[in-house]
Amino acid sequence: MKKGKHQLIVEQEETFHPNEERKNKKLHHNQKKVDPKKGKREKSKKQIKRSHKIKLISLTILIILIVVFGVWLALDSHRWKTLASQMIKNENSLVLDTSGKTIAKLGSEKKKIPITMSEMPKELPKAYIAIEDERYESHHGVDIKRTGSAILSYIFHGGSSSFGGSTITQQLVKNITGDNTDSALRKVKEWWKAWQMEGFLSKDEILTAYLNVIYVGPNIYGVEAGSKYYFQKQAKDLNLAECAFLAGINHSPNSYNPFNGAENADKIKKRTKTVLSKMLELKDIDQTSYDQAVSQVDKGLPFRKGSIDSSDGIYSYHTDQLINEITQDLAKKEHITTTFATNYLNMAGLTISSTQDSSIQKQTEEEMAKKKYSLSSKQGQEPAQSAMVILDSKTGQVTACVGGLGEKKTARGLNRATQSVRQTGSAIKPLAVLAPGIDQKKFTAASLFDDTPTTFANDYAPKNYSQNLGEITVRRAVESSQNIPFVEMMEKISPKQSISYLKKMGITTLTKHVECCSVLYLKNSIQ
């Protein structure tokens, strides 16, 4: 048994071996040799190529972003230069009617009297520089030392501290833009604008503009108006002590006002002496001038309250709307805030030609002021009101506008002609239905519609003010404003198309309810 078993195993081995050998030979013949080092090199080359591609794309994107940012920066710089250069004139803008007559002086509500540097005593600008910005002549819009200190203070106080450290140039930027927000972003923008301003305006131009726009008292702006208000004299006649007083109150004019009834005489003396001490320290004045000025301060400055003329800012409703529209257009076009745009109108010395026909405007105001139109409410509510807009049918220009009954006694108050949204009634039909329908050739003036009782979607069954007329033309439906044919026309054009046309025509007061409801849209209009 052992032998047989052994022989069987041997036979199996002999039988198996030739085939296995042939297979192995075949495998060895077909198999390609793989060099491990070569595979790694090929993989490494692919990775390097891919890495280069990613870097190239990233670099391209970065360059594009830099170029776009550079273009934006250049446009922003040009815009700021143009606006600021015009605003430093600090002149009121004039509004003219159709005959060329001045009907408004924008900015005249502020009590201001612009003067040049040559009309100021030399001590006045020196006093402001000493107490507000002692390195004014050496920095380029931003005082690095003061700014660094302000930033550290802001960080250490966890953002609860005001930045402070504003140079005269920065303060001028703030007065021009009207941006009083307390944020890091606002301050960065202010630094950037101040640095730019130093590039296109001289130090004297900046300082002159600053001394003409700063707030110095109740609705009083600029050192000339301040001189007249506090001392009843022109700025050129101020002595050193009086110059120091004006410069000293800059950070809080109302708290140093000698006419507000508060006991602040000691506070005024202390602050004025602080300015004089700083001027002495910076060698703007000598010891003798300092001693004489301090002596005057101790005796009490000769305050005499003066008056400065200004307008009440009450213009026609037409001019009010003109100001609103120009302000909005400026803000949008120049990418600035409405406050900045308002300041621009008040300071840039523009001449604005309006479409107001003053003779027509006067007639409408006189008519609307008649007491017969003021009807009291029986329910004790607000009395009746009215508004009127008159257009030139040939030009489309608004020649007159009145926004309420009675005499206009407020500046830029509610203008019902332009600001109050009201139900349009059937007046919307030509705009919402006829214009898009005829334009899209859905119907013509001679098209026929059935003016008989009809129930539309959502069980809406409109009725006419007068009787139903049966089959009538579009022209006849317009004549007596038949409601049913207009709903039928609306269904032909679709509310979506109607709304699209209204928006293109400048209608901005459509509600979301109107935009998503079809039949209800016209239903709300014709009720």
Side-chain angles (χ1 to χ4, degrees):
M1 289 179 68
K2 288 183 179 178
K3 186 177 180 180
K5 186 177 181 181
H6 179 72
Q7 289 176 343
L8 178 63
I9 293 171
V10 172
E11 288 176 1
Q12 286 178 341
E13 287 180 352
E14 289 176 351
T15 305
F16 174 76
H17 180 73
N19 292 334
E20 188 69 25
E21 188 177 358
R22 284 195 298 272
K23 288 180 180 178
N24 288 340
K25 287 181 179 180
K26 189 176 181 181
L27 284 170
H28 283 295
H29 179 74
N30 294 333
Q31 190 175 37
K32 292 182 179 180
K33 292 184 179 180
V34 178
D35 188 346
K37 293 183 179 180
K38 186 177 180 181
K40 288 181 179 179
R41 285 198 298 270
E42 289 178 355
K43 186 176 181 181
S44 178
K45 286 180 180 180
K46 289 180 179 179
Q47 288 177 339
I48 293 171
K49 189 175 181 181
R50 184 180 179 187
S51 177
H52 283 328
K53 188 175 182 181
I54 292 173
K55 287 180 180 179
L56 183 61
I57 293 172
S58 300
L59 182 61
T60 303
I61 293 173
L62 181 61
I63 292 173
I64 292 172
L65 290 175
I66 292 173
V67 170
V68 170
F69 180 71
V71 171
W72 175 84
L73 214 58
L75 292 173
D76 183 70
S77 299
H78 177 71
R79 182 186 302 116
W80 167 239
K81 178 181 178 180
T82 302
L83 296 175
S85 298
Q86 291 178 299
M87 292 175 74
I88 63 167
K89 294 186 295 185
N90 198 19
E91 296 177 1
N92 300 327
S93 292
L94 304 180
V95 179
L96 311 181
D97 65 8
T98 53
S99 66
K101 177 184 175 183
T102 300
I103 54 177
K105 293 182 179 180
L106 309 185
S108 61
E109 307 83 27
K110 291 183 177 181
K111 297 177 180 179
K112 61 181 182 180
I113 309 171
I115 58 173
T116 63
M117 187 69 75
S118 62
E119 296 174 291
M120 304 178 196
K122 62 181 181 179
E123 295 84 5
L124 187 57
K126 287 183 178 180
Y128 275 94
I129 291 174
I131 200 65
E132 291 293 329
D133 187 5
E134 61 181 90
R135 285 178 287 276
Y136 174 70
E137 296 294 346
S138 60
H139 65 63
H140 196 78
V142 180
D143 188 332
I144 302 300
K145 183 177 180 180
R146 289 180 67 189
T147 299
S149 177
I151 291 174
L152 289 175
S153 175
Y154 183 81
I155 294 172
F156 289 147
H157 288 85
S160 60
S161 172
S162 172
F163 272 94
S166 293
T167 63
I168 283 176
T169 313
Q170 287 175 242
Q171 292 180 51
L172 178 58
V173 169
K174 187 175 179 180
N175 277 283
I176 285 177
T177 62
D179 191 347
N180 294 314
T181 55
D182 185 18
S183 69
L185 180 60
R186 192 274 297 176
K187 204 66 180 179
V188 171
K189 289 180 179 179
E190 186 181 280
W191 294 334
W192 169 241
K193 283 181 167 58
W195 184 83
Q196 287 179 294
M197 181 176 277
E198 293 270 354
F200 59 79
L201 293 176
S202 68
K203 287 287 185 179
D204 276 356
E205 287 175 322
I206 292 171
L207 187 57
T208 301
Y210 170 75
L211 294 174
N212 277 312
V213 303
I214 53 175
Y215 177 78
V216 296
N219 197 34
I220 299 169
Y221 298 83
V223 294
E224 179 71 2
S227 300
K228 289 197 172 184
Y229 175 69
Y230 291 110
F231 303 107
Q232 285 192 16
K233 60 171 69 174
Q234 293 178 292
K236 65 183 180 65
D237 298 322
L238 294 175
N239 59 39
L240 175 58
E242 292 164 344
C243 288
F245 163 77
L246 275 181
I249 70 173
N250 192 46
H251 71 290
S252 183
N254 294 330
S255 63
Y256 293 101
N257 191 329
F259 310 124
N260 63 7
E263 292 296 329
N264 56 5
D266 291 339
K267 187 177 180 180
I268 290 173
K269 289 179 181 180
K270 182 179 179 180
R271 182 61 178 169
T272 305
K273 288 180 182 179
T274 299
V275 177
L276 291 169
S277 296
K278 193 66 180 178
M279 294 180 73
L280 180 63
E281 176 191 330
L282 297 174
K283 298 181 180 180
D284 290 328
I285 56 176
D286 57 29
Q287 187 66 48
T288 302
S289 298
Y290 171 79
D291 292 338
Q292 291 175 350
V294 169
S295 176
Q296 291 175 348
V297 172
D298 287 334
K299 292 177 182 178
L301 294 174
F303 295 114
R304 295 173 59 201
K305 189 174 182 178
S307 60
I308 302 98
D309 294 332
S310 64
S311 73
D312 56 14
I314 301 176
Y315 309 122
S316 69
Y317 284 106
H318 188 288
T319 300
D320 281 358
Q321 181 59 21
L322 174 73
I323 295 171
N324 290 339
E325 291 187 6
I326 292 178
T327 302
Q328 292 168 7
D329 288 347
L330 268 173
K332 184 177 180 180
K333 178 184 176 183
E334 303 296 345
H335 304 285
I336 57 179
T337 64
T338 52
T339 301
F340 190 172
T342 298
N343 288 347
Y344 177 78
L345 282 180
N346 292 341
M347 299 171 65
L350 308 176
T351 299
I352 303 166
S353 298
S354 78
T355 60
Q356 176 177 306
D357 186 320
S358 293
S359 62
I360 300 176
Q361 181 68 31
K362 183 180 179 182
Q363 291 178 56
T364 56
E365 289 175 353
E366 290 175 348
E367 187 64 27
M368 298 287 272
K370 292 179 179 178
K371 292 183 178 180
K372 67 179 182 179
Y373 299 118
S374 291
L375 305 177
S376 300
S377 171
K378 293 181 180 180
Q379 288 77 32
Q381 298 176 353
E382 292 291 324
Q385 269 296 348
S386 182
M388 182 185 296
V389 175
I390 298 179
L391 292 85
D392 185 330
S393 59
K394 294 181 180 178
T395 63
Q397 295 178 347
V398 178
T399 59
C401 173
V402 180
L405 294 174
E407 182 184 353
K408 188 174 187 291
K409 297 180 179 180
T410 57
R412 308 287 295 280
L414 175 62
N415 188 339
R416 294 174 183 83
T418 59
Q419 295 173 317
S420 294
V421 180
R422 293 176 295 277
Q423 179 58 263
T424 60
S426 292
I428 198 69
K429 290 176 181 176
L431 300 178
V433 181
L434 295 182
I438 293 174
D439 185 56
Q440 292 185 343
K441 297 180 174 58
K442 297 290 185 180
F443 48 78
T444 68
S447 297
L448 296 173
F449 287 90
D450 190 14
D451 183 24
T452 57
T454 306
T455 299
F456 297 91
N458 299 318
D459 295 325
Y460 173 49
K463 296 181 179 179
N464 294 317
Y465 180 76
S466 57
Q467 63 182 354
N468 296 323
L469 302 178
E471 193 173 58
I472 58 173
T473 63
V474 170
R475 186 182 290 106
R476 180 64 184 86
V478 173
E479 184 180 329
S480 54
S481 191
Q482 300 298 105
N483 291 330
I484 297 170
F486 272 94
V487 177
E488 294 172 348
M489 285 183 255
M490 172 62 79
E491 288 194 328
K492 278 185 172 292
I493 62 174
S494 83
K496 184 178 180 180
Q497 285 297 323
S498 175
I499 290 168
S500 176
Y501 270 77
L502 289 173
K503 287 181 176 180
K504 289 177 182 178
M505 286 185 269
I507 306 298
T508 59
T509 52
L510 296 172
T511 65
K512 289 184 179 179
H513 175 74
V514 165
E515 292 196 34
C516 46
C517 300
S518 57
V519 175
L520 288 179
Y521 162 66
L522 192 61
K523 175 183 176 182
N524 290 336
S525 299
I526 65 178
Q527 281 183 337

